[in-house]
């Protein structure tokens, strides 16, 4: 039966690799200004901001027109009996009717719905792959409260069977984060859910890195239990501030070094520190902060701390009490990645409400539905539906078209990729899902999933269900129920 399956290795053979580098601003930008003579002599120390570059290349695609579907454009708009044209890996046109080449593959979308691909802003797939065994536990470096030097991508196992299950649920992009045991957990990475032999082959080209931080119970429990700091919420903030102060000093040294080089003056480069290098990237605005935080008061404390040290929180994750400060988060332009109804499993999660997401939306905030779970990622459309229903029951009337922003455009904003994906707009990546019914219905499922215009999953075609090499010959091989 293996010959009829679209295996990972077979998919890889469809296209060659291409390297897409990303150069950060900040230190790298300053280095680029170094004096020509010093550079010619090889005396300028330049830090490679992208030492593990993306080798992702879109799979082959064909020009495709979906006709007669209900389209949610991801920006809050809805088109009945609409059309969408994908060509060359991009979205070319979306509307009531669009012009398409005569040789375009036409898909009948009558009775079906089209949306942007789902983006999960909080996942640990790959770092905590299936099967769940200790040998696969690579998501938390629980050896110290500050581990900003570790990168989630270095623990990602591309053959994780959870990736293809998420793809079958309409998920096209995920952010893989380190866990929340540490105050500074390390760098995150954004991946496209394409079969690949390496992490680099999945890596979203041009996506900025993130820094995972955590406040509240987890760090103080993990390290207080070992008799070391932090053992309290006071200790959390104190150690955070102490670390940011060190990062500021580190950045000042490198800035001073590059300033001298630019002037043609003799300068000795500071010693490199991978832990502080990540934090300096945050201070330069190149790395986005994703902060695990439940309680409203702690989120407010973190916001003040970010202003003290001159960085910005891009998103609070979980934000179970986000509804209490929805106006503050909206004012500060901070996204909140939340569950629909998870609460009560620990004290800081006790005061959760089912209306959290719609309250955040109603306040003008950037509301996101996230999973933080390999099963939940397979039903994110249903999680959004639960939140939508909870809001409507208390009089917050949000349309389905608006609510889809929680699953695509808003997480794209939080990941710094909204200019490339997250909505159905001309010129953006053709990350598209065709649902066999209303995606807010528990009875609907993803029928077809395209990433960069390439059809990578088709519920009606067993040959179009990617299977990792690890799964071949095992029970449940390719299962996508």
């Amino acid at each position: 039966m293996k010959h009829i399956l679209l295996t990972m290795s077979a998919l890889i053979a469809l296209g060659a690799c291409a390297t897409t580098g990303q150069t950060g601003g900040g230190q790298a930008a300053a280095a680029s200004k170094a004096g020509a003579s010093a550079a010619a002599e090889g005396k300028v120390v330049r830090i490679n901001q992208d030492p593990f570059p993306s080798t992702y290349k879109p799979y082959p695609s064909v020009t495709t027109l979906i006709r007669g579907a209900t389209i949610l454009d991801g920006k809050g708009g809805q088109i009945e009996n609409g059309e969408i044209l994908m060509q060359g890996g991009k979205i070319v046109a979306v509307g009531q009717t669009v012009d398409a080449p005569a040789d375009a593959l036409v898909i009948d979308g009558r009775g079906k719905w089209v949306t942007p691909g789902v983006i999960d802003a909080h996942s640990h797939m790959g770092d905590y792959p299936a099967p769940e065994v200790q040998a696969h536990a690579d998501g938390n470096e629980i050896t110290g409260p500050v581990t900003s030097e570790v990168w989630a991508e270095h623990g990602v196992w591309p053959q994780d069977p959870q990736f293809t299950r998420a793809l079958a649920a309409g998920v096209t992009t995920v952010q893989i984060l380190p866990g929340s045991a540490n105050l500074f957990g390390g760098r995150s990475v954004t991946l496209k859910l394409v079969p690949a032999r390496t992490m680099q082959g999945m890596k979203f080209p041009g996506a900025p890195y993130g820094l995972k931080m955590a406040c509240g119970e987890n760090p103080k429990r993990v390290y207080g239990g070992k008799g070391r700091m932090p053992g309290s919420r006071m200790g959390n903030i104190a150690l955070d501030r102490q670390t940011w102060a060190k990062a500021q000093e580190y950045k000042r040294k490198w800035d001073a070094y590059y300033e001298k080089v630019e002037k043609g003056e003799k300068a000795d480069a500071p010693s490199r520190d991978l832990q502080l290098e990540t934090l300096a990237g945050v201070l330069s605005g190149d790395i986005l902060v994703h902060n695990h935080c439940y309680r409203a008061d702690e989120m407010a404390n973190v916001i003040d701390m970010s202003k003290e040290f001159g960085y910005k929180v891009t998103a609070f994750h979980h934000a179970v009490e986000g509804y209490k400060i929805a106006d503050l988060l909206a004012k500060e332009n901070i996204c909140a990645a939340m569950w629909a109804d998870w609460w009560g499993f620990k004290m800081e999660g006790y005061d959760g409400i089912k209306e959290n997401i719609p309250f955040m939306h109603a306040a003008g905030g950037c509301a996101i539905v996230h999973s933080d779970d390999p099963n939940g990622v397979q039903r994110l459309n249903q999680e959004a539906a639960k939140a939508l229903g909870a809001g409507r029951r208390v009089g917050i009337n949000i349309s389905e078209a608006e609510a889809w922003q929680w699953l695509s455009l808003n997480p794209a904003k939080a990941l710094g990729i909204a200019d490339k994906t997250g909505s159905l707009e001309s010129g953006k990546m053709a990350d598209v899902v065709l649902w066999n019914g209303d995606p807010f219905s528990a009875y609907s499922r993803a029928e077809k999933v395209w990433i960069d215009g390439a059809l990578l999953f088709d519920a009606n075609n067993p040959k179009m269900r990617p299977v990792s090499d690890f799964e071949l010959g095992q029970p449940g091989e390719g299962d996508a129920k």
Side-chain angles (χ1 to χ4, degrees), residues 405-479:
Q405 295 174 91
W406 307 341
L407 294 170
S408 61
L409 188 57
N410 287 354
K413 290 176 181 177
L415 303 189
I417 55 175
D419 59 328
K420 301 175 178 66
T421 190
S423 59
L424 303 180
E425 298 179 77
S426 178
K428 283 194 172 184
M429 295 171 169
D431 298 340
V432 177
V433 183
L434 176 67
W435 303 83
N436 63 4
D438 182 347
F440 289 93
S441 168
Y443 298 100
S444 297
R445 62 175 294 176
E447 183 175 296
K448 291 180 172 62
V449 182
W450 292 265
I451 296 181
D452 284 306
L455 181 63
L456 291 184
F457 175 80
D458 187 343
N460 298 321
N461 183 356
K463 294 183 180 180
M464 293 301 296
R465 297 180 185 177
V467 178
S468 74
D469 293 345
F470 173 76
E471 284 191 87
L472 292 176
Q474 299 200 46
E477 177 186 290
D479 178 47

Side-chain angles (χ1 to χ4, degrees), residues 299-311:
M299 286 185 272
N301 287 339
V302 169
I303 290 171
D304 281 349
M305 179 172 62
S306 71
K307 293 179 179 179
E308 177 186 11
F309 292 98
Y311 71 91

